[in-house]
Amino acid sequence: KGGPGYSTNVVTLDSGQETRVSRWSQPRHEYDASYGMRTLEDLQGVLEFYHARQGSANGFRYKDPLDFSTDSTRRGTVAWGNVSLGLTDGSDQVQFVSKYTEGGSTRTRNITKPISGTLKVGWGGVEKTETTDWTCDYTTGVISTVSSTTETIYAGGQFHVPCRFGI
């Protein structure tokens, strides 16, 4: 059980009006693993995993079953044209992102843990080949083009959420 959250300060003024200050530009995800434990073996598995990570000292990747893909369902098959990443900067690098749109509002979320083997990238109306045309740092989500391009880069892929234990 769990999902994304934002840190927002809500201040109620004497007039009853509210002022809101969003403190984080990106969501932080929080999950409660206890909802998935049904047997003693489940508990033992989580305990082993917890000790192997030294509690909150070492993070891990988690595949959120409700939001792990850039396709429209957030759970399906990806295509290289799912998300516009924009033009590369001077170093020919772009951050892999997922975009969330409701009405006229779009929020861009940086994806830092894409799943290797699921990422598809293209530009110029054509899907490109990994290692030949582009590479990805799968620990940061930064995509680098092998040759300079001035076209908009598109991508699609599945991703993990970076997690750690809370205690």
Side-chain angles (χ1 to χ4, degrees):
K1 175 183 170 188
Y6 290 88
S7 177
T8 304
N9 288 344
V10 179
V11 178
T12 304
L13 304 175
D14 289 338
S15 66
Q17 296 207 340
E18 293 181 344
T19 300
R20 295 179 193 93
V21 178
S22 179
R23 298 176 59 211
W24 300 339
S25 63
Q26 296 289 314
R28 186 170 74 180
H29 293 70
E30 188 172 303
Y31 301 93
D32 186 343
S34 67
Y35 286 88
M37 291 186 271
R38 302 283 185 250
T39 66
L40 188 56
E41 288 77 24
D42 292 342
L43 180 59
Q44 184 64 37
V46 171
L47 184 62
E48 293 286 332
F49 191 75
Y50 177 79
H51 282 297
R53 307 278 161 316
Q54 294 178 292
S56 60
N58 295 292
F60 55 92
R61 291 170 169 247
Y62 174 70
K63 190 173 182 179
D64 185 332
L66 296 178
D67 185 10
F68 64 85
S69 174
T70 57
D71 83 313
S72 62
T73 68
R74 304 274 172 216
R75 299 176 302 283
T77 304
V78 299
W80 69 268
N82 285 151
V83 181
S84 168
L85 304 181
L87 298 171
T88 61
D89 62 15
S91 63
D92 295 319
Q93 295 182 332
V94 291
Q95 177 67 50
F96 183 45
V97 300
S98 187
K99 294 187 180 181
Y100 301 81
T101 302
E102 174 60 33
S105 178
T106 297
R107 193 81 180 136
T108 301
R109 172 182 165 198
N110 290 341
I111 302 299
T112 59
K113 304 295 182 214
I115 299 173
S116 181
T118 70
L119 199 56
K120 298 175 184 225
V121 177
W123 58 87
V126 179
E127 181 178 355
K128 302 298 182 177
T129 306
E130 187 171 10
T131 66
T132 303
D133 300 309
W134 60 272
T135 59
C136 181
D137 182 336
Y138 287 96
T139 61
T140 65
V142 173
I143 297 169
S144 301
T145 59
V146 174
S147 60
S148 293
T149 181
T150 57
E151 300 197 51
T152 300
I153 296 177
Y154 295 87
Q158 294 182 353
F159 50 88
H160 290 125
V161 176
C163 288
R164 65 170 170 79
F165 284 100
I167 54 172

